[in-house]
Amino acid sequence: MTQDERRVYLIKVLLAEDARYQGMEIPDDGFGQKRLLRALFNVRMPGPVSGEFLEIQDAYLQEATRQKGITDIADLTPVQEGLYLWQGDITTLRCGAIVNAANSQMLGCFCPNHGCIDNAIHTYAGIQLRADCAELMKRQGHEEETGGAKLTPGFNLPCDFVLHTVGPIVGYRLTNRDRERLASCYRSCLELAEENGIQSVAFCCISTGEFHFPNDRAAEIAVRTVKEYRQRTHSKIEVIFNVFKDIDLQLYRNLLG
């Protein structure tokens, strides 16, 4: 199957799953089809699907990521020993694990085509990721607490694993509790990664988007916490500070030298 044929197949199957979508027309253009497919991925609740669907979905997502371009940690140059700074799409990064800024449901973003990292990671990992997270949460029996971490496979992402962490939501003003909870996100991810033999972790800018943590304070906490952890534990784990916005790139450049 061509990539276009895979996309149309996936859309048809997902539309057929829900009676509310009966009669919905599939756009003729590739851009419209891609947006529709992503939206259908985003709103789909975890549930069983055929092996054929998974095979075609996996081929489609892996090719889509290949076309975007994959960056391997082995091709990056550290800015300090064991520390990297990289600007780009975290879903295209090949390393041990990438960090997802999740919400307390831990099921991914259900808003169609939303621009958050949670949405992007779940989209390009495939529907298996939401199903795996749902099973984790079912066993846990309650929503995820702020500052902890959970581990899942990366499925169709270039990384081996995804570390999911819930960052603090900043209200009227930034508090010491917000700062400690954000630092806990970084520590929890590093500890869980090392428990599972993961040798490299790429951190997004946790809580700086929808959760309104000030970018400069978040960057300071991220760099300080990672450095303190590596020094205290004598860890050799490699850490990539992944940024998307230019403002964050400059902040991390100033902090890392």
Side-chain angles (χ1 to χ4, degrees), residues 95-161:
C95 61
I98 63 172
V99 173
N100 178 31
N103 57 48
S104 59
Q105 280 187 297
M106 199 68 80
L107 294 180
C109 171
F110 283 90
C111 183
N113 291 293
H114 194 251
C116 71
I117 192 169
D118 198 16
N119 187 294
I121 287 174
H122 273 265
T123 296
Y124 288 99
I127 64 171
Q128 299 98 313
L129 181 55
R130 179 165 285 167
D132 202 65
C133 287
E135 183 60 31
L136 279 175
M137 298 309 289
K138 181 180 178 181
R139 292 199 301 267
Q140 179 165 284
H142 58 81
E143 291 191 343
E144 182 70 1
E145 296 181 0
T146 301
K150 289 287 187 293
L151 182 70
T152 66
F155 296 105
N156 291 293
L157 296 166
C159 59
D160 297 321
F161 298 96

Side-chain angles (χ1 to χ4, degrees), residues 157-221:
L157 296 166
C159 59
D160 297 321
F161 298 96
V162 178
L163 289 155
H164 307 262
T165 188
V166 181
I169 301 174
V170 177
Y172 177 69
R173 63 183 179 85
L174 185 65
T175 66
N176 287 334
R177 190 162 185 250
D178 294 329
R179 296 185 184 94
E180 177 49 40
R181 283 180 160 189
L182 184 60
S184 178
C185 289
Y186 286 89
R187 286 193 298 269
S188 296
C189 286
L190 291 169
E191 289 167 358
L192 186 55
E194 296 220 273
E195 287 172 12
N196 287 273
I198 298 170
Q199 297 180 347
S200 59
V201 172
F203 282 103
C204 61
C205 301
I206 303 168
S207 278
T208 58
E210 299 293 319
F211 288 5
H212 308 299
F213 208 107
N215 296 61
D216 55 347
R217 298 292 182 263
E220 291 168 4
I221 291 169

